[in-house]
Amino acid sequence: MSVPVEGVVKGDRADPSGRDRVRINDVAPRDGLQIEPVFVPTADKIALVDALSHAGYAKIEVTSFTSPKAIPALADAEAVMNGIERVAGVEYVVLVPNLRGMERAALCAPDEMNLVMSVSETHNRANLRMGREASFAQLADIVRALRGTAIRANVSLSTSFGCPMEGEVPEGEVFAWVSRFAGLGVAGISLCDTTGMASPAQVARMTARFLREHPGIMLTLHFHNTRGMGLANIVAAVQAGARRFDASLGGLGGCPYAPGATGNVCSEEVVHMLELMDFDTGVDLDLALAASARLPGLLGHDVPSQLLKAGPVTRLHPVPEGVVNVG
Ligand code: COA
Ligand code: ZN
């Protein structure tokens, strides 16, 4: 079966072996740290972003320019952006919820602003304290302001696969918001599963529809592993043609304004799985695991990553004493 594939359309086969490139945006410094009760010192945040850069992630969501009252954990956004190393080939993204956030972020010259709103009215009001139309009007102003600058606009549509308060979000409504942002000329759109409500068949259907209806817009999928479906949803999306994913080192993450939110799909597990499926992520798994191993010390608790505990499939164990190899 032939499916439209994001990325390949742009002649995007970086790997000489011909493997398809999948771009992973590590959102641990933003989606991961925003929900942590401890304030991670600025120098440690910078070290985390630098480690992700050197591990080979295509993109890193470094921080958010939100109200420090709403997200105190990321109140040092400027200092982090100004302190990180800009590694060639890596794109540095920041989350922006409103015009004030755009003005602050623009001074730090990110490669991309990730503009956020929810497709569910209730979650938008809980998260951003305004209705969807008010959010859209602000984000539209930002998109227009970024035209002709070096900064790309991406829009993240939260609760695209379900809302923790309203329940099912009609697919037609999600695509109506996609069309409105497409009409503004945004470079990319992320469909976000804010609280792990997405399931594989739904993901395959929505991915295929997006690629069919909006082939010129970069599609990113953003899954949380709240109900254990994160990697299954990645498989469904990649098989339907998606080539860009958000994921979070260690499996950190969660929206403080979404009841029951837990971690993003774990980025080292996504890398490990996609490489076994013969995709090229560009990520050095050993470096990613080394960075993930430093997270518990930084946060004071264990992280969800199963790969960190088990190691990659290539990590073998010694044969127990007394076992005779008859093979
Ligand atoms: N950066 C810094 N400060 C900001 C800001 C921004 N982007 N936006 C608003 N503020 C400040 C205002 O200056 C004001 O400060 P003051 O109380 O000292 O006068 C205060 O925040 C309230 O401003 P207001 O416009 O009334 O905002 P609000 O209280 O309605 O909050 C948001 C709206 C969007 C700024 C806030 O809800 C927010 O930052 N949410 C982020 C949610 C988020 O990141 N969720 C997780 C990711 S999906
Ligand atoms: Zn998220």
Side-chain angles (χ1 to χ4, degrees):
M1 188 179 73
S2 156
V3 292
V5 172
E6 211 275 284
V8 173
V9 178
K10 301 175 184 66
D12 194 19
R13 287 178 192 265
D15 186 317
S17 68
R19 297 187 304 162
D20 271 13
R21 180 93 155 95
V22 172
R23 287 189 160 73
I24 298 174
N25 176 29
D26 197 294
V27 298
R30 196 278 300 169
D31 207 337
L33 298 189
Q34 73 183 7
I35 202 174
E36 291 294 331
V38 298
F39 182 85
V40 173
T42 305
D44 291 329
K45 287 176 177 143
I46 292 169
L48 170 61
V49 173
D50 288 350
L52 290 167
S53 293
H54 290 289
Y57 284 94
K59 253 173 145 171
I60 300 167
E61 196 156 302
V62 177
T63 185
S64 71
F65 288 86
T66 43
S67 154
K69 283 185 199 132
I71 310 282
L74 303 180
D76 56 356
E78 281 86 355
V80 175
M81 272 303 282
N82 293 330
I84 58 170
E85 183 186 345
R86 302 288 184 106
V87 172
V90 182
E91 294 173 340
Y92 297 92
V93 185
V94 298
L95 182 138
V96 165
N98 60 9
L99 281 163
R100 168 103 177 80
M102 181 203 77
E103 286 160 6
R104 289 174 57 208
L107 298 175
C108 301
D111 295 302
E112 182 176 293
M113 288 194 196
N114 186 20
L115 315 178
V116 59
M117 68 168 281
S118 304
V119 291
S120 124
E121 182 74 11
T122 314
H123 185 259
N124 204 67
R125 288 185 182 278
N127 192 33
L128 300 171
R129 292 191 242 281
M130 57 185 131
R132 289 174 298 178
E133 286 300 337
S135 274
F136 180 79
Q138 287 218 23
L139 301 189
D141 283 345
I142 298 174
V143 172
R144 288 186 202 104
L146 293 180
R147 276 185 200 146
T149 73
I151 304 170
R152 224 173 25 218
N154 185 81
V155 173
S156 274
L157 296 175
S158 302
T159 65
S160 282
F161 299 90
C163 166
M165 278 93 64
E166 290 182 13
E168 192 187 327
V169 175
E171 217 171 283
E173 217 170 299
V174 177
F175 280 92
W177 287 105
V178 168
S179 294
R180 289 180 72 179
F181 282 108
L184 289 175
V186 297
I189 291 180
S190 305
L191 296 181
C192 302
D193 181 26
T194 312
T195 58
M197 295 174 77
S199 59
Q202 176 193 24
V203 167
R205 193 175 61 239
M206 288 175 66
T207 299
R209 176 169 173 183
F210 189 107
L211 296 177
R212 200 168 54 241
E213 293 183 1
H214 301 283
I217 297 183
M218 291 184 287
L219 168 67
T220 301
L221 280 308
H222 176 109
F223 297 120
H224 282 256
N225 198 34
T226 315
R227 293 176 175 81
M229 291 187 278
L231 287 179
N233 286 331
I234 299 260
V235 173
V238 85
Q239 288 180 342
R243 292 294 180 267
R244 292 170 190 269
F245 296 99
D246 287 351
S248 173
L249 193 71
L252 300 180
C255 174
Y257 300 101
T262 56
N264 289 76
V265 66
C266 169
S267 75
E268 61 266 34
E269 290 176 359
V270 174
V271 167
H272 179 253
M273 181 185 78
L274 289 175
E275 295 280 340
L276 287 170
M277 292 172 74
D278 211 22
F279 288 101
D280 167 29
T281 64
V283 176
D284 180 321
L285 188 57
D286 289 336
L287 290 180
L289 283 167
S292 184
R294 291 194 287 275
L295 292 174
L298 212 57
L299 303 170
H301 61 76
D302 201 6
V303 295
S305 175
Q306 287 180 257
L307 196 69
L308 193 57
K309 298 178 184 80
V313 291
T314 48
R315 186 180 300 169
L316 302 182
H317 299 273
V319 179
E321 228 174 285
V323 172
V324 181
N325 193 346
V326 291

